[in-house]
């Protein structure tokens, strides 16, 4: 385990395996030289930094990387697959939690709930009421990435009686929402854009200045995907210039560092990447990390391998 994970994960793995906590080693390089050749499984999260060839080279016996999170852009899954290393993630168990947060962040951003809270706490209410906010009424919602989390967001928003459209790699024939071939077209057709796509090179800065311009001066951006999906420089410029109305952000490009220019803006709601951060959901994610490792070494098959690992054969348990 290169970096700390929840205590329940550490305890469960330590009960089943010889668990080496790399962050506790006084000399990580020396440890990897001596113990690295014997390591067969890796429990990873974003705190571990990039998991790629530079680490794989030092772990020649590695068979599986169990990643804590549905997103796994912190792991070079393609390189892992080329080496016969299975990568797993934690899909399903966090979909509903992230969707709840996305809708909450949208409402907080549109109705300016944190700003109203500050108005009261700072004693400004006796001097005058909080200004009237924008509304969700009459807004058209665009979802960028209609996977499991995107669909969960859409189901919730159906209850708000707002029209929903989406963009993804392809049209989904069983989905009744309007489909747009690209993100610019989706943004032009909507006044709220919710990003729920995976991170990685394919989606880096897919929401850029052109998309924000198409979203327009009444537009609101919500990002619960990855910070890399949004061109933060373009977003800051759009917020400062009034190109869009506001933004709600749970993720940032260089977490935990947040651009200083965002902090004083009155038209943003900023959260410290808490999309799946409830105790119940994080415990379920951690259990899936444990279950993937146990299944691989006991039964020869991982439970939730990522697509890049689809062609890696089962491990022989004979």
């Amino acid at each position: 385990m290169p970096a700390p994970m929840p205590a329940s994960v550490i305890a469960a793995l330590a009960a089943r395996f010889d668990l080496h906590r790399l962050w506790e080693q006084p000399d990580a390089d020396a440890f990897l030289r001596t113990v690295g050749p014997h390591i067969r499984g890796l429990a990873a999260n974003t705190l571990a930094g990039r998991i790629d060839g530079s680490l794989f080279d030092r772990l020649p016996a590695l068979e599986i990387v169990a990643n804590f999170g549905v997103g796994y852009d912190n792991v070079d899954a393609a390189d892992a697959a080329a080496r016969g290393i299975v990568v797993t993630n934690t899909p399903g168990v966090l979909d509903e939690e992230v969707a709840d947060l996305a809708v909450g962040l949208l409402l907080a951003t549109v109705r300016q709930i944190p700003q109203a809270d500050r108005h009261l706490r700072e004693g400004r209410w006796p001097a005058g009421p909080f200004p009237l906010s924008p509304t969700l009424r009459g807004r058209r919602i665009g979802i960028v990435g209609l996977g499991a989390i995107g669909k969960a967001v859409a189901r919730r928003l159906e209850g708000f009686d707002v029209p929903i459209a989406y963009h993804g790699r392809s049209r989904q024939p069983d989905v009744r929402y309007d489909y747009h071939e690209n993100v610019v077209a989706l943004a032009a057709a909507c006044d709220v854009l919710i990003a729920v796509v995976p991170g990685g090179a394919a989606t880096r800065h897919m929401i850029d200045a052109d998309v924000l311009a198409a979203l327009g001066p009444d537009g609101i951006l919500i990002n619960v995907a990855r910070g890399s999906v949004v061109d933060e420089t373009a977003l800051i410029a759009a917020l400062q210039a009034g190109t869009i109305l506001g933004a709600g952000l749970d993720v940032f490009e260089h977490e935990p560092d947040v651009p200083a220019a965002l902090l004083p803006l009155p038209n943003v709601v900023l959260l410290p990447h808490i999309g799946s951060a409830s105790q119940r959901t994080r415990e379920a994610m951690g259990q899936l990390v444990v279950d993937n490792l146990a299944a691989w070494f006991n039964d020869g098959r991982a439970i939730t391998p990522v697509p890049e690992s689809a062609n890696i054969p089962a491990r022989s348990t004979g």
Side-chain angles (χ1 to χ4, degrees):
M1 186 179 291
M5 296 177 75
S8 60
V9 180
I10 293 174
L13 290 177
R16 291 168 171 80
F17 303 101
D18 293 327
L19 179 63
H20 301 277
R21 302 164 174 83
L22 184 60
W23 74 93
E24 293 181 351
Q25 302 301 320
D27 187 336
D29 284 336
F31 174 83
L32 288 172
R33 282 195 301 272
T34 56
V35 179
H38 307 287
I39 297 293
R40 296 166 58 203
L42 193 69
N45 58 14
T46 55
L47 295 177
R50 182 74 172 158
I51 306 295
D52 57 17
S54 62
L55 181 58
F56 298 152
D57 287 343
R58 309 188 75 175
L59 306 175
L62 188 64
E63 299 175 21
I64 181 171
V65 176
N67 190 60
F68 183 89
V70 66
Y72 56 94
D73 46 306
N74 54 307
V75 181
D76 190 339
D79 187 26
R83 298 167 184 254
I85 302 168
V86 171
V87 176
T88 68
N89 63 343
T90 59
V93 296
L94 52 72
D95 297 349
E96 304 300 323
E97 202 76 76
V98 176
D100 288 349
L101 191 281
V103 174
L105 182 55
L106 170 59
L107 292 173
T109 304
V110 172
R111 293 300 312 275
Q112 301 176 346
I113 293 173
Q115 296 91 323
D117 176 85
R118 290 195 295 271
H119 183 85
L120 182 151
R121 290 175 186 272
E122 293 169 0
R124 289 184 280 151
W125 192 6
F130 185 74
L132 299 179
S133 73
T135 180
L136 190 61
R137 302 299 92 222
R139 286 189 176 274
R140 302 159 297 173
I141 310 296
I143 300 177
V144 185
L146 200 69
I149 297 175
K151 286 185 173 72
V153 172
R155 288 196 304 271
R156 285 155 174 75
L157 290 175
E158 285 181 358
F160 289 86
D161 195 26
V162 289
I164 298 169
Y166 74 102
H167 165 73
R169 285 173 292 185
S170 60
R171 183 191 300 270
Q172 300 186 36
D174 58 340
V175 170
R176 66 183 181 276
Y177 311 129
D178 289 341
Y179 174 74
H180 293 270
E181 295 285 347
N182 57 67
V183 185
V184 172
L186 178 65
C190 299
D191 355 72
V192 172
L193 202 61
I194 304 177
V196 208
V197 291
T203 60
R204 184 177 184 275
H205 290 187
M206 75 182 321
I207 298 176
D208 57 13
D210 291 340
V211 172
L212 297 170
L215 188 57
D218 196 39
I220 289 175
L221 173 68
I222 303 296
N223 189 8
V224 293
R226 284 289 188 265
S228 59
V229 170
V230 176
D231 181 340
E232 285 185 347
T233 300
L235 174 61
I236 291 167
L239 289 165
Q240 292 173 335
T243 303
I244 65 172
L245 182 65
L249 308 174
D250 184 47
V251 289
F252 303 89
E253 193 159 10
H254 302 292
E255 298 176 5
D257 297 323
V258 177
L262 283 172
L263 301 180
L265 294 179
N267 52 344
V268 295
V269 176
L270 308 174
L271 301 178
H273 200 156
I274 59 171
S276 64
S278 73
Q279 183 172 345
R280 177 180 184 275
T281 294
R282 288 293 171 87
E283 287 179 355
M285 292 166 62
Q287 188 60 52
L288 189 47
V289 169
V290 175
D291 291 346
N292 267 302
L293 289 165
W296 177 255
F297 289 111
N298 291 337
D299 306 323
R301 296 183 182 275
I303 299 170
T304 54
V306 303
E308 291 89 339
S309 299
N311 295 324
I312 296 176
R315 175 180 175 273
S316 174
T317 58

